[in-house]
Amino acid sequence: MNTLALDAALRERCRAITPEIIALRHAIHAHPETAFQEERTAREVAERLRALDIEVTTGVAGTGVVGLLRGGQPGPTVALRAEMDALPIQEQTGAAYASTTPGRMHACGHDGHTAILVGAAGALAALRAHLSGDVKLIFQPAEEQVAGASRMCAAGVMSNPPVAAIAALHGWPGLPLGTINVSPGPVMASADAFEIAITGRGGHGAMPHLTVDPVVAACEVVGALQSIASREVSPNAPVVVSVTAIHAGEAYNVIPEAARLRGTVRTLDPAVRARIPERMRRIAAGVCAAHEAEARVDYQECCPVTANDPRACRAIREAAEPLLGAASVRGDGPPSMVSEDFACYLAEAPGAILRLGLGDTPSLHNPRFDFPDAAVPLGVALMARVGLRLLGCGW
Ligand code: NI
């Protein structure tokens, strides 16, 4: 089959499976499962892949599923990835297929991503005799905790056979439906977590001069940490330092012994990221020393910067242009300070994550967000074509 005939067959196959894939999206949406509990979703995915005669491994990194679609011709192995986890949010969409589990919902579109990858697997499986190489289909748990991908990698998902290149998509509210954006370089931030334990000396709320007040010290630390972004890092290098939790004290008339701050740090540059812990320790220790209090900083690196490979971006654009039209395929999206554990796969192979336009929908993680059905067939055709294009790139 030549490229044109292969392309036509792929389009036809994608069209044919669209209703089934939309129904699958609704079924997954109705049964959301949060990080490392994606058992029902994983079972559904594994059954669908087995029905397509794809080699399936389950229980990877807990609840992950990996399919290996072997092509009829020799070639590299490329990977396509989706996430299966939902969020601890009470759904308010009012959809007929809304979450049946209180306090859990697919508010990040991972129901759409999972269904789309099952659809792309179906389209590619129908053409397997003509594929030059193998396609690995990675369905990971726990993206929302930026924990699933690193565990999938530790479980060896990028080896045996080794993955030459990898791609993923994420639905993007605000980007017009029928368009994509895939930009080279950093597209999503690194994510780190910190906890600062401040120790003072407790006492009576009416006699502060006899205490070392950790509340006052903690408040000054929160303010001083803002100078990391404004005074310690170049204005040209985006960095976010957010204190998201403060815990201290119980009673209105007691100055507590200790206070605890927690928060997150985001950067787009590994060199900037590497310098943050020392700055944070210096600021916390210095401010607390001024109050005779002590600070202990526990800094945890969670997820690296997601940096798209330029060649993979080009391959994705080439796959998308015949489908969407050149004007709807863009490579100039501004980076987001949100993080994505897809970065972990990119540490092992070149690849890229594309943003799939979802049009005018509520934002990700909003209780009224719902992955639009209209984006599903586009996603299926796109991922199938991306798989095909990556195979043809000669990595
Ligand atoms: Ni997401």
Side-chain angles (χ1 to χ4, degrees), residues 83 108 110 143-144 170:
E83 339 81 305
C108 201
H110 297 181
E143 194 288 320
E144 295 294 352
H170 205 296

Side-chain angles (χ1 to χ4, degrees), residues 10-388:
L10 196 66
R11 279 178 197 240
E12 180 41 42
R13 188 69 209 133
C14 289
R15 234 191 319 274
I17 59 179
T18 290
E20 182 192 332
I21 297 304
I22 288 178
L24 173 63
R25 207 277 291 175
H26 293 177
I28 295 172
H29 190 94
H31 301 284
E33 297 167 305
T34 46
F36 295 118
Q37 294 170 358
E38 306 89 339
E39 287 177 7
R40 183 191 166 114
T41 312
R43 215 163 35 237
E44 179 79 41
V45 166
E47 272 170 27
R48 301 263 179 164
L49 296 183
R50 284 196 189 101
L52 293 166
D53 228 354
I54 290 172
E55 291 169 31
V56 176
T57 312
T58 57
V60 185
T63 44
V65 179
V66 180
L68 186 63
L69 172 61
R70 294 199 185 269
Q73 322 286 330
T77 299
V78 301
L80 303 172
R81 170 278 208 165
E83 339 81 305
M84 300 188 290
D85 56 323
L87 282 157
I89 293 175
Q90 180 62 42
E91 179 160 355
Q92 293 175 32
T93 62
Y97 48 83
S99 169
T100 54
T101 310
R104 298 275 183 278
M105 82 168 284
H106 271 292
C108 201
H110 297 181
D111 51 338
H113 306 167
T114 297
I116 282 170
L117 191 51
V118 170
L124 289 168
L127 303 173
R128 77 179 77 210
H130 309 283
L131 298 184
S132 302
D134 304 336
V135 181
K136 208 177 263 193
L137 304 144
I138 299 176
F139 296 84
Q140 72 162 78
E143 194 288 320
E144 295 294 352
Q145 294 185 352
V146 291
S150 59
R151 283 174 61 171
M152 294 291 282
C153 288
V157 73
M158 295 298 277
S159 47
N160 191 29
V163 171
I166 183 164
L169 63 73
H170 205 296
W172 212 257
L175 193 64
L177 205 61
T179 71
I180 68 160
N181 208 318
V182 57
S183 319
V187 288
M188 306 266 223
S190 61
D192 297 331
F194 64 85
E195 180 162 324
I196 304 177
I198 297 172
T199 311
R201 190 171 61 247
H204 203 293
M207 293 185 275
H209 58 296
L210 301 179
T211 73
V212 172
D213 189 345
V215 174
V216 170
C219 291
E220 287 191 17
V221 169
V222 173
L225 289 178
Q226 305 313 309
S227 71
I228 293 178
S230 67
R231 287 298 174 267
E232 303 229 7
V233 173
S234 161
N236 297 322
V239 57
V240 175
V241 179
S242 290
V243 176
T244 55
I246 306 180
H247 295 285
E250 300 280 351
Y252 79 97
N253 57 355
V254 177
I255 291 172
E257 284 277 313
R260 204 158 45 91
L261 306 175
R262 296 171 78 184
T264 186
V265 174
R266 310 292 170 117
T267 73
L268 291 175
D269 179 344
V272 171
R273 181 192 190 201
R275 292 199 297 266
I276 304 287
E278 179 273 321
R279 285 155 201 237
M280 182 171 283
R281 287 198 175 93
R282 173 163 44 74
I283 289 170
V287 169
C288 287
H291 292 273
E292 291 186 273
E294 277 179 23
R296 192 174 46 79
V297 177
D298 180 19
Y299 193 97
Q300 298 218 319
E301 297 194 336
C302 303
C303 176
V305 176
T306 303
N308 280 345
D309 176 74
R311 231 175 115 203
C313 289
R314 210 175 319 123
I316 290 173
R317 285 201 298 273
E318 285 165 7
E321 279 174 3
L323 192 69
L324 306 173
S328 297
V329 178
R330 310 198 50 154
D332 59 355
S336 165
M337 297 311 279
V338 164
S339 303
E340 168 53 86
D341 71 3
F342 185 67
C344 298
Y345 304 107
L346 295 183
E348 302 202 19
I353 184 164
L354 68 96
R355 295 176 185 175
L356 176 68
L358 300 185
D360 190 17
T361 58
S363 69
L364 300 174
H365 296 207
N366 181 289
R368 281 171 291 279
F369 173 84
D370 187 17
F371 194 95
D373 284 339
V376 170
L378 288 178
V380 171
L382 198 59
M383 286 307 264
R385 295 177 63 95
V386 166
L388 212 52

